[in-house]
Amino acid sequence: MIKGLVTRADNHISRGMRSGSSRIWDLGFRITAALSLIASRRKPLFFRHNFFSNIVLFVRHVIECNLGHAPRIGIVVAASLIGSGCMPNAASSSPVVKITSASVSATGEQVAFSFEDRLSGKLQKRLGLLTVGTGDIRILDQPDNLFWGSPVISPDGRRLAFTSFCAMTCSPEEFGYHLGVLDLDSGAYRLLTSNGRDEMRLSPSFAPDGRSVYFTSTEVEWNKEGGSRPKWFFGLSSIQIDSGHETQLLPNSAAPTRFQVLERTTVTTRGDILFTGTAPFGGHAESDARKSGKGRSYDFAYRLAPGGILENFPPLKEYRASSLSASADGETVAFISRSSSSTAGGGFGYDLFLYTAGVVRRVTELETYAYTTDISADGSRIVFLADDSREMNWSVWLHRLDDSSTTEILTSKQIAEVLIPEPAVGDGGVNAPDDM
């Protein structure tokens, strides 16, 4: 039964992770123990909802937590419904450098990315910038005790917004989950938020004027070992950069509508907020999901209008549209969707799709494991992550709308070469003179 559950999660949730991976099978005993708690632990995921959908979501969360990655949420520490939660610095056999997210500037000339760095033997979560035209990589300086992730570039290209997490050796102001902004010229940064112990803030995105940051949020539950997980559902909020004033746009723990999963938003110049949500509960969003005949683990594209009206994004109602992003005017929308059927042991294939001028079309032919799109404000370039090995060893890809080209622009190997450059002549390298 446990093997069946994991296989179903592999095929329907994790988008083609290798079903034979020993790392997944090793979770069997943990899933068995956790399922025994369902009847006695009334977590938000389990009460008043369809049992099968809950099992699928549960297995998905457990797998994401133990693999140390949550591709559909973009969170720093994934959610799990096992007793220990997700440890922030657990041992892992992951590659020494692993890309975890990417976003593109308004003009498409720069890409901000986050990555895991284990070169020192200790896990660090760091940020970098790639100049598309030259291929130059800049690794950003940050405090060693903070995990930074999910960077996005401001509309004027001068700042980054990012997530910050700290559970050990940090001040009370740094502890927990925060949003920060970093000046790209000076390197100075500051945390925008407070009370990181109680609020989990993830997946930032800038308002079109650059004065506010939008993000997903939920309450946090901690355990004695330092593990954490979402306590409730996810909602949407915004924070003004100058004043620090926060506004909740969609609730995360009350009616009418809450989501088990929310991805990064796009705020358009018209005031619409576009995003992908999974497992809607309450309100017409849940009713629409039920009417569609699709399970709650299905991805739905949503639009939150300026007046607070939430609706399924009409052009994508029939698509499994995950990792949605849009141009500043909202006229061009990019998303990831299934492009090929499951093959023996390989899982489903996924590609980049585009909605523009009233038409949905597939724009790549990779048929691989892909997620997290971001489209430039002018709608000219789209970045996304892909991994043909299906081990979530992501590389960054760029699709240009002007010539329909798709190219791989950043790999983990390139980042590692910047972190540990090859010895130069005269520095003891293989080309050094014999008397050096």
Side-chain angles (χ1 to χ4, degrees), residues 65 73 90 130 149 163 288 352 388:
C65 176
I73 315 175
L130 169 72
T163 60
D288 289 345
L352 179 68
D388 194 48

Side-chain angles (χ1 to χ4, degrees), residues 68 94 96-100 114-118 123-125:
S94 297
V96 291
V97 174
K98 182 177 180 180
I99 296 170
T100 54
S114 60
F115 65 99
E116 295 179 353
D117 175 7
R118 291 182 171 85
L123 174 62
Q124 294 179 295
K125 297 187 178 184

Side-chain angles (χ1 to χ4, degrees), residues 104-123:
V104 66
S105 65
T107 60
E109 296 175 352
Q110 284 195 309
V111 172
F113 60 92
S114 60
F115 65 99
E116 295 179 353
D117 175 7
R118 291 182 171 85
L119 289 170
S120 66
K122 180 182 71 172
L123 174 62

Side-chain angles (χ1 to χ4, degrees), residues 161-226:
F162 59 92
T163 60
S164 179
F165 175 79
C166 185
M168 297 175 287
T169 63
C170 45
S171 68
E173 293 76 22
E174 295 172 328
F175 184 87
Y177 296 84
H178 291 279
L179 298 177
V181 289
L182 180 143
D183 184 276
L184 290 174
D185 291 329
S186 66
Y189 80 94
R190 63 186 177 96
L191 299 182
L192 297 176
T193 52
S194 58
N195 196 28
R197 177 183 294 273
D198 298 326
E199 280 291 319
M200 181 182 288
R201 303 171 180 93
L202 309 167
S203 306
S205 61
F206 276 99
D209 61 8
R211 297 179 180 178
S212 299
V213 175
Y214 288 72
F215 58 96
T216 66
S217 65
T218 186
E219 293 181 44
V220 185
E221 184 174 66
W222 297 85
N223 64 23
K224 295 180 180 180
E225 291 77 26

Side-chain angles (χ1 to χ4, degrees), residues 228-280:
S228 60
R229 60 192 176 197
K231 184 177 181 181
W232 300 111
F233 298 91
F234 281 86
L236 293 178
S237 299
S238 67
I239 184 169
Q240 295 177 3
I241 293 176
D242 291 338
S243 68
H245 176 70
E246 291 190 35
T247 301
Q248 190 174 69
L249 305 170
L250 279 179
N252 57 25
S253 59
T257 295
R258 299 144 291 168
F259 292 89
Q260 193 68 47
V261 178
L262 281 181
E263 296 184 350
R264 186 170 60 197
T265 64
T266 294
V267 186
T268 71
T269 53
R270 297 178 299 196
D272 292 332
I273 303 174
L274 304 179
F275 62 93
T276 303
T278 304

Side-chain angles (χ1 to χ4, degrees), residues 131-435:
T131 301
V132 175
T134 64
D136 292 337
I137 297 172
R138 172 187 170 191
I139 306 300
L140 301 177
D141 294 328
Q142 70 185 70
D144 290 339
N145 63 322
L146 301 183
F147 284 179
W148 285 0
S150 302
V152 289
I153 305 173
S154 63
D156 62 9
R158 299 175 59 186
R159 292 187 288 190
L160 286 185
F162 59 92
T163 60
S164 179
F165 175 79
C166 185
M168 297 175 287
T169 63
C170 45
S171 68
E173 293 76 22
E174 295 172 328
F175 184 87
Y177 296 84
H178 291 279
L179 298 177
V181 289
L182 180 143
D183 184 276
L184 290 174
D185 291 329
S186 66
Y189 80 94
R190 63 186 177 96
L191 299 182
L192 297 176
T193 52
S194 58
N195 196 28
R197 177 183 294 273
D198 298 326
E199 280 291 319
M200 181 182 288
R201 303 171 180 93
L202 309 167
S203 306
S205 61
F206 276 99
D209 61 8
R211 297 179 180 178
S212 299
V213 175
Y214 288 72
F215 58 96
T216 66
S217 65
T218 186
E219 293 181 44
V220 185
E221 184 174 66
W222 297 85
N223 64 23
K224 295 180 180 180
E225 291 77 26
S228 60
R229 60 192 176 197
K231 184 177 181 181
W232 300 111
F233 298 91
F234 281 86
L236 293 178
S237 299
S238 67
I239 184 169
Q240 295 177 3
I241 293 176
D242 291 338
S243 68
H245 176 70
E246 291 190 35
T247 301
Q248 190 174 69
L249 305 170
L250 279 179
N252 57 25
S253 59
T257 295
R258 299 144 291 168
F259 292 89
Q260 193 68 47
V261 178
L262 281 181
E263 296 184 350
R264 186 170 60 197
T265 64
T266 294
V267 186
T268 71
T269 53
R270 297 178 299 196
D272 292 332
I273 303 174
L274 304 179
F275 62 93
T276 303
T278 304
F281 298 116
H284 69 82
E286 180 180 3
S287 299
D288 289 345
R290 290 183 180 277
K291 291 176 183 177
S292 72
K294 304 178 178 72
R296 283 203 181 95
S297 59
Y298 200 92
D299 299 302
F300 293 93
Y302 290 94
R303 174 169 61 194
L304 181 64
I309 299 174
L310 178 68
E311 64 175 355
N312 287 112
F313 187 52
L316 303 184
K317 269 191 173 183
E318 302 303 317
Y319 287 83
R320 183 166 188 159
S322 66
S323 302
L324 183 149
S325 62
S327 58
D329 59 11
E331 296 297 323
T332 304
V333 177
F335 62 95
I336 299 295
S337 190
R338 185 182 299 170
S339 58
S340 64
S341 300
S342 178
T343 57
F348 295 103
Y350 293 84
D351 270 289
L352 179 68
F353 287 72
L354 202 63
Y355 168 76
T356 185
V359 177
V360 174
R361 60 189 175 93
R362 175 181 171 184
V363 296
T364 64
E365 301 288 338
L366 299 178
E367 296 188 357
T368 186
Y369 188 37
Y371 92 107
T372 191
T373 73
D374 192 37
I375 186 168
S376 60
D378 62 7
S380 65
R381 300 181 180 185
I382 306 168
V383 297
F384 63 100
L385 302 189
D387 172 32
D388 194 48
S389 73
R390 301 179 181 272
E391 295 289 345
M392 291 187 285
N393 297 324
W394 306 109
S395 58
V396 181
W397 290 70
L398 175 71
H399 179 79
R400 300 174 187 263
L401 274 68
D402 55 357
D403 61 6
S404 298
S405 64
T406 304
T407 54
E408 187 179 44
I409 59 172
L410 182 65
T411 66
S412 297
K413 181 180 178 181
Q414 290 173 267
I415 300 173
E417 289 172 348
V418 173
L419 295 172
I420 305 180
E422 293 184 5
V425 174
D427 289 340
V430 294
N431 296 321
D434 294 336
D435 58 349

